[in-house]
Amino acid sequence: MKIERLLKIIFILLNKQKVTAEEVAKHLAVSTRTVYRDMDTLSLAGFPIYAEQGNLGGYRLIEGYYFPHSYFTEEDLRLIKEALTSTMTLHTDKALQNILAKITLLNESKTENSIDFSFLNNKDGVKVTDIRQAIKDKKCLTFSYAKKEQLEIKKVKPIQVFFYHLSWYLFGWPENEAKPKFYRLSRIHELKVGNAVFTETFEYLDGYQVFSNWMKSLESEIVKIDLVLRFPLISSQEVFDSFPETSIDKSGVDHLLVRISYPDEEWVVKLILSFGSQVEVLSPRGFKNKIMTHIEKMTRIYYT
């Protein structure tokens, strides 16, 4: 993680009079280009880093500088602790634990607010750990990947693993293909880390940013439908758990109406069907017919 790397660079500079980009790169297992960028980032953040050119050159902090605890305010430290505590419920990471321990030394106050993502960690947590280690060690991954028609065997050079909209994704370069691809971790099975080490560096690729931009571009192309749904009052808890309050009409005597726009996609059908007999689709007619078709198919499974 970049924040961990930047903190490590600060401590290296504090403990050494002078250090070269090559020495830092070797210590952190990154490219010298990454070190140059990190040094620029730290300089812009206000750290007094001095660069000396030539064969005997390198980076150093100005004489007499020390890292003051007051660089972060109490509120800064509190927010950092909350972010780390929340992230660790999603994925247990030793590096995160170490950073949290260091931050706690500077701020021992109890974490007031955190988000528990642990329900998302059970299925993919081990995969995330294995993939991160493979990225660090530059080792290829082999796995079965579930597609609509079948399982496909993949051999991939891992570049990045990230979390996006409640799911983990692997960004990697598949063997014998011209460009990197994305793989959803929930669809990865029989994951194995190989022994062979690849030499390519992929520092110039940011899978998360590419994926995020791609998803945002799709949003403008999505066709949406305006749904009107009716629920009995007995389903109030489920309704308020599932839909934004602004979409819920509470004026009915014995029911709730939900008016909401959703993409005209298969997952919306599955969402509505998950409410079983507690929901009635009032409009649009085409979507109501789609629900009825699914129910008829389900009925034939059990009555034929």
Side-chain angles (χ1 to χ4, degrees):
M1 295 179 66
K2 187 171 182 179
I3 186 170
E4 178 193 359
R5 195 170 68 237
L6 293 175
L7 286 171
K8 284 183 177 179
I9 291 174
I10 293 170
F11 288 119
I12 289 172
L13 291 170
L14 286 169
N15 291 322
K16 291 179 177 284
Q17 290 186 337
K18 187 188 298 182
V19 66
T20 66
E22 289 75 15
E23 289 173 327
V24 176
K26 184 177 180 180
H27 182 78
L28 300 179
V30 296
S31 67
T32 53
R33 182 182 300 177
T34 297
V35 174
Y36 296 144
R37 288 200 300 265
D38 287 347
M39 291 297 184
D40 289 340
T41 298
L42 290 170
S43 295
L44 289 172
F47 290 94
I49 297 174
Y50 182 72
E52 296 180 354
Q53 304 297 322
N55 293 332
L56 299 177
Y59 292 97
R60 64 179 175 84
L61 291 167
I62 62 172
E63 190 173 349
Y65 177 80
Y66 66 95
F67 185 55
H69 290 180
S70 59
Y71 183 80
F72 294 109
T73 66
E74 289 296 314
E75 180 67 6
D76 291 339
L77 294 172
R78 185 184 66 79
L79 292 173
I80 291 172
K81 284 180 66 178
E82 288 180 4
L84 289 173
T85 302
S86 298
T87 302
M88 285 171 59
T89 67
L90 178 63
H91 171 58
T92 303
D93 187 285
K94 190 173 182 180
L96 288 178
Q97 291 174 337
N98 291 337
I99 295 175
L100 183 59
K102 293 173 184 176
I103 295 294
T104 301
L105 290 175
L106 302 177
N107 184 307
E108 296 182 351
S109 63
K110 184 178 70 174
T111 303
E112 297 291 342
N113 302 302
S114 62
I115 304 172
D116 189 344
F117 294 109
S118 58
F119 72 100
L120 297 167
N121 186 38
N122 297 332
K123 185 167 57 174
D124 296 325
V126 174
K127 296 177 191 174
V128 173
T129 300
D130 291 344
I131 292 171
R132 280 186 171 168
Q133 190 61 45
I135 292 172
K136 182 179 179 180
D137 297 337
K138 291 196 167 188
K139 291 186 176 181
C140 291
L141 299 171
T142 303
F143 53 84
S144 297
Y145 193 67
K147 304 193 79 172
K148 282 188 176 181
E149 301 82 7
Q150 59 186 2
L151 288 173
E152 293 184 356
I153 304 300
K154 300 288 184 181
K155 186 175 182 180
V156 175
K157 296 172 183 176
I159 300 172
Q160 193 176 16
V161 60
F162 59 88
F163 191 74
Y164 189 92
H165 283 200
L166 303 182
S167 296
W168 283 101
Y169 291 88
L170 164 66
F171 181 55
W173 205 299
E175 187 178 48
N176 300 324
E177 297 201 30
K179 60 182 181 180
K181 291 185 176 181
F182 298 99
Y183 302 91
R184 187 165 170 168
L185 261 62
S186 60
R187 299 171 186 170
I188 289 177
H189 306 279
E190 300 175 351
L191 177 68
K192 295 179 181 178
V193 180
N195 294 319
V197 177
F198 59 88
T199 57
E200 296 94 332
T201 57
F202 300 106
E203 290 289 334
Y204 62 96
L205 294 173
D206 187 345
Y208 175 82
Q209 195 61 52
V210 173
F211 190 84
S212 178
N213 292 339
W214 175 59
M215 293 297 287
K216 288 175 183 176
S217 69
L218 291 179
E219 289 178 5
S220 61
E221 302 173 7
I222 292 175
V223 177
K224 291 192 173 183
I225 51 177
D226 296 324
L227 296 180
V228 180
L229 312 170
R230 180 162 57 196
F231 294 86
L233 288 180
I234 196 173
S235 300
S236 294
Q237 286 186 341
E238 291 86 348
V239 172
F240 281 94
D241 285 345
S242 305
F243 303 100
E245 186 175 358
T246 53
S247 69
I248 303 171
D249 182 348
K250 303 182 284 292
S251 61
V253 176
D254 59 352
H255 66 272
L256 298 172
L257 289 181
V258 174
R259 295 182 176 88
I260 193 166
S261 293
Y262 271 145
D264 189 9
E265 296 178 357
E266 187 66 20
W267 68 265
V268 180
V269 175
K270 295 176 182 178
L271 171 66
I272 303 305
L273 287 172
S274 70
F275 291 101
S277 61
Q278 297 299 305
V279 63
E280 179 186 358
V281 177
L282 300 182
S283 68
R285 183 68 192 180
F287 186 80
K288 186 172 184 175
N289 290 339
K290 190 179 293 187
I291 293 290
M292 291 170 63
T293 300
H294 275 73
I295 293 173
E296 289 172 359
K297 288 180 180 179
M298 294 167 63
T299 302
R300 284 199 295 269
I301 292 174
Y302 293 100
Y303 289 96
T304 56

Short mmCIF file of all heavy atoms in Angstrom, two decimals, residues 229-245 247-250 255-258 275 278-279:
data_model
loop_
_atom_site.label_atom_id
_atom_site.label_comp_id
_atom_site.label_asym_id
_atom_site.label_seq_id
_atom_site.Cartn_x
_atom_site.Cartn_y
_atom_site.Cartn_z
N LEU A 229 -43.44 -0.52 -6.77
CA LEU A 229 -43.60 -1.77 -6.05
C LEU A 229 -44.50 -1.57 -4.83
O LEU A 229 -44.43 -0.52 -4.18
CB LEU A 229 -42.23 -2.29 -5.57
CG LEU A 229 -41.10 -2.32 -6.60
CD1 LEU A 229 -39.78 -2.63 -5.93
CD2 LEU A 229 -41.41 -3.33 -7.71
N ARG A 230 -45.32 -2.56 -4.53
CA ARG A 230 -46.20 -2.47 -3.37
C ARG A 230 -45.85 -3.59 -2.38
O ARG A 230 -45.75 -4.75 -2.75
CB ARG A 230 -47.67 -2.57 -3.76
CG ARG A 230 -48.61 -2.49 -2.54
CD ARG A 230 -50.03 -2.16 -2.93
NE ARG A 230 -50.58 -3.11 -3.88
CZ ARG A 230 -51.68 -2.88 -4.60
NH1 ARG A 230 -52.32 -1.73 -4.48
NH2 ARG A 230 -52.14 -3.80 -5.44
N PHE A 231 -45.68 -3.18 -1.11
CA PHE A 231 -45.35 -4.12 -0.04
C PHE A 231 -46.37 -3.99 1.08
O PHE A 231 -46.83 -2.88 1.38
CB PHE A 231 -43.97 -3.82 0.55
CG PHE A 231 -42.82 -4.05 -0.38
CD1 PHE A 231 -42.41 -3.06 -1.27
CD2 PHE A 231 -42.11 -5.25 -0.36
CE1 PHE A 231 -41.34 -3.25 -2.11
CE2 PHE A 231 -41.04 -5.46 -1.20
CZ PHE A 231 -40.65 -4.46 -2.09
N PRO A 232 -46.74 -5.08 1.75
CA PRO A 232 -47.59 -4.97 2.94
C PRO A 232 -46.79 -4.35 4.09
O PRO A 232 -45.56 -4.44 4.12
CB PRO A 232 -47.96 -6.43 3.25
CG PRO A 232 -46.84 -7.23 2.68
CD PRO A 232 -46.39 -6.48 1.45
N LEU A 233 -47.47 -3.74 5.03
CA LEU A 233 -46.78 -3.08 6.15
C LEU A 233 -45.93 -4.05 6.95
O LEU A 233 -44.93 -3.65 7.56
CB LEU A 233 -47.81 -2.41 7.07
CG LEU A 233 -48.49 -1.15 6.52
CD1 LEU A 233 -49.48 -0.60 7.55
CD2 LEU A 233 -47.46 -0.09 6.15
N ILE A 234 -46.29 -5.33 6.94
CA ILE A 234 -45.52 -6.31 7.68
C ILE A 234 -44.09 -6.45 7.15
O ILE A 234 -43.19 -6.96 7.82
CB ILE A 234 -46.24 -7.68 7.65
CG1 ILE A 234 -45.68 -8.61 8.73
CG2 ILE A 234 -46.13 -8.33 6.27
CD1 ILE A 234 -46.44 -9.90 8.87
N SER A 235 -43.86 -5.96 5.94
CA SER A 235 -42.53 -6.03 5.32
C SER A 235 -41.73 -4.74 5.50
O SER A 235 -40.72 -4.53 4.82
CB SER A 235 -42.66 -6.35 3.83
OG SER A 235 -43.30 -7.58 3.62
N SER A 236 -42.16 -3.88 6.41
CA SER A 236 -41.53 -2.56 6.56
C SER A 236 -40.03 -2.65 6.81
O SER A 236 -39.24 -1.90 6.24
CB SER A 236 -42.20 -1.79 7.70
OG SER A 236 -43.54 -1.49 7.39
N GLN A 237 -39.61 -3.57 7.68
CA GLN A 237 -38.18 -3.68 7.97
C GLN A 237 -37.38 -3.98 6.71
O GLN A 237 -36.35 -3.35 6.45
CB GLN A 237 -37.94 -4.77 9.02
CG GLN A 237 -38.36 -4.37 10.43
CD GLN A 237 -37.95 -5.42 11.45
OE1 GLN A 237 -37.68 -6.58 11.11
NE2 GLN A 237 -37.93 -5.03 12.71
N GLU A 238 -37.83 -4.98 5.95
CA GLU A 238 -37.11 -5.35 4.73
C GLU A 238 -37.09 -4.21 3.72
O GLU A 238 -36.09 -3.98 3.04
CB GLU A 238 -37.76 -6.59 4.09
CG GLU A 238 -37.59 -7.88 4.88
CD GLU A 238 -38.67 -8.06 5.93
OE1 GLU A 238 -39.42 -7.09 6.21
OE2 GLU A 238 -38.77 -9.18 6.47
N VAL A 239 -38.20 -3.48 3.63
CA VAL A 239 -38.28 -2.37 2.67
C VAL A 239 -37.29 -1.27 3.03
O VAL A 239 -36.53 -0.79 2.19
CB VAL A 239 -39.72 -1.80 2.62
CG1 VAL A 239 -39.75 -0.52 1.78
CG2 VAL A 239 -40.68 -2.83 2.03
N PHE A 240 -37.27 -0.87 4.31
CA PHE A 240 -36.37 0.19 4.73
C PHE A 240 -34.91 -0.26 4.72
O PHE A 240 -34.00 0.57 4.60
CB PHE A 240 -36.77 0.73 6.10
CG PHE A 240 -37.92 1.68 6.04
CD1 PHE A 240 -39.23 1.23 6.24
CD2 PHE A 240 -37.73 3.03 5.78
CE1 PHE A 240 -40.31 2.10 6.18
CE2 PHE A 240 -38.80 3.91 5.71
CZ PHE A 240 -40.09 3.45 5.91
N ASP A 241 -34.67 -1.56 4.85
CA ASP A 241 -33.31 -2.09 4.74
C ASP A 241 -32.81 -2.09 3.30
O ASP A 241 -31.61 -2.03 3.05
CB ASP A 241 -33.24 -3.53 5.29
CG ASP A 241 -33.27 -3.57 6.80
OD1 ASP A 241 -33.06 -2.52 7.44
OD2 ASP A 241 -33.52 -4.66 7.35
N SER A 242 -33.74 -2.18 2.34
CA SER A 242 -33.36 -2.43 0.95
C SER A 242 -33.44 -1.23 0.04
O SER A 242 -32.79 -1.21 -1.01
CB SER A 242 -34.26 -3.55 0.38
OG SER A 242 -34.20 -4.72 1.16
N PHE A 243 -34.23 -0.22 0.40
CA PHE A 243 -34.44 0.91 -0.50
C PHE A 243 -34.18 2.24 0.22
O PHE A 243 -34.38 2.33 1.44
CB PHE A 243 -35.88 0.90 -1.04
CG PHE A 243 -36.25 -0.36 -1.76
CD1 PHE A 243 -37.00 -1.36 -1.13
CD2 PHE A 243 -35.84 -0.57 -3.07
CE1 PHE A 243 -37.34 -2.53 -1.78
CE2 PHE A 243 -36.18 -1.75 -3.73
CZ PHE A 243 -36.92 -2.73 -3.09
N PRO A 244 -33.75 3.26 -0.51
CA PRO A 244 -33.57 4.57 0.12
C PRO A 244 -34.90 5.13 0.62
O PRO A 244 -35.95 4.94 -0.01
CB PRO A 244 -32.97 5.43 -1.00
CG PRO A 244 -33.22 4.70 -2.26
CD PRO A 244 -33.35 3.26 -1.93
N GLU A 245 -34.86 5.82 1.74
CA GLU A 245 -36.09 6.32 2.36
C GLU A 245 -36.85 7.26 1.44
O GLU A 245 -38.09 7.31 1.45
CB GLU A 245 -35.76 7.03 3.67
CG GLU A 245 -36.98 7.47 4.46
CD GLU A 245 -36.63 8.06 5.81
OE1 GLU A 245 -35.43 8.11 6.13
OE2 GLU A 245 -37.57 8.49 6.52
N SER A 247 -37.39 6.98 -1.57
CA SER A 247 -38.17 6.26 -2.59
C SER A 247 -39.41 5.58 -2.01
O SER A 247 -40.19 4.99 -2.74
CB SER A 247 -37.30 5.19 -3.26
OG SER A 247 -37.00 4.14 -2.37
N ILE A 248 -39.60 5.67 -0.69
CA ILE A 248 -40.67 4.94 -0.02
C ILE A 248 -41.84 5.88 0.31
O ILE A 248 -41.66 6.89 0.98
CB ILE A 248 -40.15 4.27 1.28
CG1 ILE A 248 -38.98 3.34 0.96
CG2 ILE A 248 -41.28 3.50 1.97
CD1 ILE A 248 -38.27 2.81 2.19
N ASP A 249 -43.01 5.51 -0.19
CA ASP A 249 -44.24 6.26 0.07
C ASP A 249 -44.97 5.58 1.23
O ASP A 249 -45.42 4.44 1.12
CB ASP A 249 -45.11 6.27 -1.19
CG ASP A 249 -46.40 7.08 -1.01
OD1 ASP A 249 -46.74 7.42 0.15
OD2 ASP A 249 -47.08 7.35 -2.02
N LYS A 250 -45.10 6.29 2.36
CA LYS A 250 -45.69 5.71 3.58
C LYS A 250 -47.14 6.15 3.79
O LYS A 250 -47.71 5.96 4.87
CB LYS A 250 -44.84 6.14 4.79
CG LYS A 250 -43.37 5.76 4.69
CD LYS A 250 -42.58 6.16 5.92
CE LYS A 250 -42.31 7.66 5.91
NZ LYS A 250 -41.40 8.10 4.85
N HIS A 255 -50.19 -0.52 3.33
CA HIS A 255 -49.09 -0.92 2.45
C HIS A 255 -48.06 0.21 2.31
O HIS A 255 -48.32 1.36 2.69
CB HIS A 255 -49.63 -1.31 1.07
CG HIS A 255 -50.24 -0.16 0.33
ND1 HIS A 255 -51.57 0.18 0.48
CD2 HIS A 255 -49.71 0.75 -0.54
CE1 HIS A 255 -51.84 1.24 -0.27
NE2 HIS A 255 -50.72 1.61 -0.90
N LEU A 256 -46.92 -0.15 1.75
CA LEU A 256 -45.89 0.82 1.38
C LEU A 256 -45.69 0.75 -0.13
O LEU A 256 -45.75 -0.33 -0.72
CB LEU A 256 -44.56 0.48 2.06
CG LEU A 256 -44.51 0.51 3.59
CD1 LEU A 256 -43.17 -0.03 4.08
CD2 LEU A 256 -44.73 1.93 4.11
N LEU A 257 -45.49 1.90 -0.75
CA LEU A 257 -45.16 1.95 -2.16
C LEU A 257 -43.71 2.38 -2.32
O LEU A 257 -43.24 3.30 -1.65
CB LEU A 257 -46.06 2.93 -2.90
CG LEU A 257 -47.53 2.56 -3.11
CD1 LEU A 257 -48.25 3.66 -3.89
CD2 LEU A 257 -47.66 1.23 -3.85
N VAL A 258 -43.00 1.69 -3.21
CA VAL A 258 -41.62 2.06 -3.52
C VAL A 258 -41.56 2.49 -4.97
O VAL A 258 -41.95 1.73 -5.87
CB VAL A 258 -40.66 0.88 -3.28
CG1 VAL A 258 -39.24 1.24 -3.75
CG2 VAL A 258 -40.64 0.50 -1.80
N PHE A 275 -37.91 -11.03 -2.61
CA PHE A 275 -38.94 -10.64 -1.63
C PHE A 275 -40.12 -11.63 -1.63
O PHE A 275 -41.03 -11.49 -0.81
CB PHE A 275 -39.46 -9.24 -1.93
CG PHE A 275 -38.45 -8.16 -1.66
CD1 PHE A 275 -37.75 -7.58 -2.70
CD2 PHE A 275 -38.19 -7.73 -0.37
CE1 PHE A 275 -36.82 -6.58 -2.46
CE2 PHE A 275 -37.26 -6.74 -0.11
CZ PHE A 275 -36.56 -6.16 -1.16
N GLN A 278 -44.14 -11.15 -0.82
CA GLN A 278 -44.34 -9.90 -0.10
C GLN A 278 -44.33 -8.67 -1.01
O GLN A 278 -44.57 -7.55 -0.55
CB GLN A 278 -43.26 -9.73 0.99
CG GLN A 278 -43.29 -10.80 2.05
CD GLN A 278 -44.62 -10.80 2.82
OE1 GLN A 278 -45.04 -9.79 3.36
NE2 GLN A 278 -45.28 -11.96 2.84
N VAL A 279 -44.05 -8.86 -2.29
CA VAL A 279 -43.97 -7.71 -3.20
C VAL A 279 -44.87 -7.93 -4.40
O VAL A 279 -45.04 -9.05 -4.88
CB VAL A 279 -42.51 -7.48 -3.67
CG1 VAL A 279 -42.00 -8.67 -4.46
CG2 VAL A 279 -42.40 -6.21 -4.50
#
